[in-house]
Amino acid sequence: MDDFLEIVPPRAIATPCVNVCRIDAATRRCHGCARTIDEITAWTRLTDTERDRIMADLPHRRAAHRRS
């Protein structure tokens, strides 16, 4: 049996960042991407499932922000 180590490059992490980084003091959400400051700081440590959940919620957050 051949023993070998397969090296797999890390998967790129998708991000909703649009380089408009301004945090709303009241909501603690970014005006550009609609993530909370906690989500932004934890982004690289979150699982794919956690990031996918947040990404799926962002359109709803943006729509709610436009209505307010």
Side-chain angles (χ1 to χ4, degrees):
M1 179 182 347
D2 293 329
D3 290 327
F4 65 93
L5 175 65
E6 182 178 359
I7 299 175
V8 179
R11 198 177 104 206
I13 297 175
T15 178
C17 182
V18 295
N19 295 319
V20 179
C21 305
R22 288 191 343 243
I23 304 298
D24 182 285
T27 64
R28 293 180 44 91
R29 287 194 176 142
C30 176
H31 286 274
C33 69
R35 291 179 293 173
T36 66
I37 189 71
D38 294 333
E39 291 167 344
I40 293 167
T41 58
W43 196 251
T44 59
R45 295 184 312 276
L46 297 175
T47 65
D48 289 343
T49 301
E50 290 168 323
R51 285 192 297 269
D52 289 345
R53 180 190 55 77
I54 293 167
M55 293 281 275
D57 191 46
L58 294 178
H60 304 290
R61 294 179 190 182
R62 289 185 187 110
H65 177 73
R66 283 193 294 273
R67 285 191 302 267
S68 60

